[in-house]
Amino acid sequence: MTKAIKLLTVLPPPQRRRLMDLAHEVSFPEDARIFEAGGRADRFWVIRSGAVTLDQRVNALQRVSVASLGTGDLLGWSWLFPPYEWDFGAQAFSPVRAYEFDAAAVLRLCEEDPGLGLILVRGVAEILAHRLETTRVKLMEYATHRRSPL
């Protein structure tokens, strides 16, 4: 399995400072829905403290938790790819403090500083690869446990 990385640690200090200039601090209470799959993805977060659960709706009444995120983790990548809609839902598992980034401002920064943009996209790609792998495993476990014997 791929190793989980933290987005802010892949950026060299000068680029990290430029990105952090765009951040503002937000908080979410425990059990708050942060976003829903299919909603407009126009921002992302880096978690400062607390825990967030990513989930996927499997039917009208049930969601499956596919990942748990904590300190330093990236929350949200759909802002980077058309059609700019969330692929998963996210809910605060505990009180959460995070840095919030406006996607349009970050994309402008990436155009101004292509080096930062390349490092950022590569970092997000590594995070996506890891999350895809863990999500696949969780969904396979869910499907195996839900099967009834013949």
Side-chain angles (χ1 to χ4, degrees):
M1 186 175 291
T2 58
K3 181 180 180 273
I5 66 162
K6 307 294 184 188
L7 183 65
L8 295 179
T9 63
V10 301
L11 294 169
Q15 280 92 355
R16 185 170 43 244
R17 281 191 294 276
R18 291 192 72 200
L19 180 64
M20 290 306 295
D21 285 344
L22 301 177
H24 70 275
E25 294 183 29
V26 297
S27 61
F28 301 99
E30 183 175 350
D31 295 328
R33 285 301 287 174
I34 300 170
F35 55 82
E36 292 287 349
R40 184 168 172 249
D42 60 356
R43 63 197 64 246
F44 67 95
W45 302 265
V46 173
I47 299 170
R48 295 183 59 217
S49 66
V52 173
T53 301
L54 294 179
D55 55 48
Q56 183 67 55
R57 187 174 290 283
V58 291
N59 60 42
L61 301 174
Q62 190 174 17
R63 300 175 200 267
V64 174
S65 173
V66 295
S68 295
L69 307 179
T71 302
D73 285 333
L74 171 68
L75 173 58
W77 62 72
S78 300
W79 59 275
L80 197 51
F81 308 104
Y84 309 107
E85 294 176 352
W86 299 118
D87 291 316
F88 297 96
Q91 185 163 344
F93 185 73
S94 67
V96 171
R97 292 176 38 218
Y99 295 117
E100 184 176 85
F101 298 87
D102 176 82
V106 172
L107 291 171
R108 281 190 300 276
L109 178 61
C110 290
E111 288 176 10
E112 293 169 11
D113 185 345
L116 182 150
L118 180 61
I119 294 167
L120 187 67
V121 168
R122 283 184 175 164
V124 171
E126 278 190 64
I127 292 165
L128 279 169
H130 177 75
R131 299 244 181 101
L132 179 60
E133 204 169 351
T134 58
T135 299
R136 180 179 52 83
V137 168
K138 286 205 181 243
L139 290 175
M140 286 173 40
E141 288 172 358
Y142 173 79
T144 301
H145 289 28
R146 297 291 298 165
R147 289 188 187 141
S148 57
L150 295 178

